[in-house]
Amino acid sequence: MIKKITDKDKEDWENFLNNKKKNLNKNPVKEKDIKNLDKDKQDWENFLNNKEKITNKDFVRKKNIRYEKIKKIDLHGYTIEEANEAIEKFIQRSYDENVTKIIVITGKGLRSKNVENPYLSKDLSILKYSVPEFIENNKSLTQFIIETTDAKIEDGGSGAFYIHLKNKNKFKE
């Protein structure tokens, strides 16, 4: 079905075109803008024709950025004393090696043989609570540590935690 254009439609179209022309005349393109466009176009063409290699800024190493270095220690099967001694040495060694994050795996204590007192066991200890407490109360270790946080599921979940270490070069003793 073909519809005929009415006089009203023609008049509306003419009004629309006249309004467009008025708006274009109000904001004329300045000669200065045209020169800038030409300059931008020329700069772009020069860039494309330039055969020099451009360094990828994503891969440029910066001196002030500290890259993440992670170490992991698994304390399954340790007694409280063994775990405390091992974690103390491990934190000090990691700090000296400028490690940024330590993943400490303590386990969840589900196989511990002492249900009454979770801090003590004949063969195994529930280290989940005692190791973080030992670290927190040890002043020589806390000077190396920014914070301790819970581990993500992929790193052990509730049976592990993170220790974020200070930058050895930034924080002199």
Side-chain angles (χ1 to χ4, degrees), residues 22-39:
K22 286 179 187 175
N23 287 338
L24 285 175
N25 290 334
K26 284 182 184 176
N27 299 322
V29 178
K30 297 176 184 170
E31 191 175 317
K32 180 177 146 187
D33 293 337
I34 293 172
K35 287 181 183 177
N36 284 341
L37 290 174
D38 290 340
K39 184 183 179 318

Side-chain angles (χ1 to χ4, degrees), residues 104-148:
V104 181
I105 301 170
T106 58
K108 297 177 185 172
L110 299 176
R111 293 177 193 82
S112 181
K113 296 179 181 175
N114 191 345
V115 179
E116 300 85 40
N117 186 351
Y119 287 91
L120 298 173
S121 176
K122 292 176 186 163
D123 299 323
L124 299 172
S125 303
I126 296 181
L127 305 174
K128 176 180 174 180
Y129 305 105
S130 64
V131 172
E133 186 178 311
F134 169 76
I135 293 168
E136 202 174 289
N137 295 327
N138 188 327
K139 296 292 181 200
S140 65
L141 292 181
T142 55
Q143 68 182 351
F144 304 135
I145 298 172
I146 297 171
E147 68 175 341
T148 58

Side-chain angles (χ1 to χ4, degrees), residues 66 95-96 98 166-173:
R66 184 175 180 212
Y95 177 78
D96 290 337
N98 213 16
K166 293 178 180 178
N167 187 340
K168 177 183 173 185
N169 301 324
K170 205 172 192 180
F171 297 98
K172 300 287 181 192
E173 296 173 34

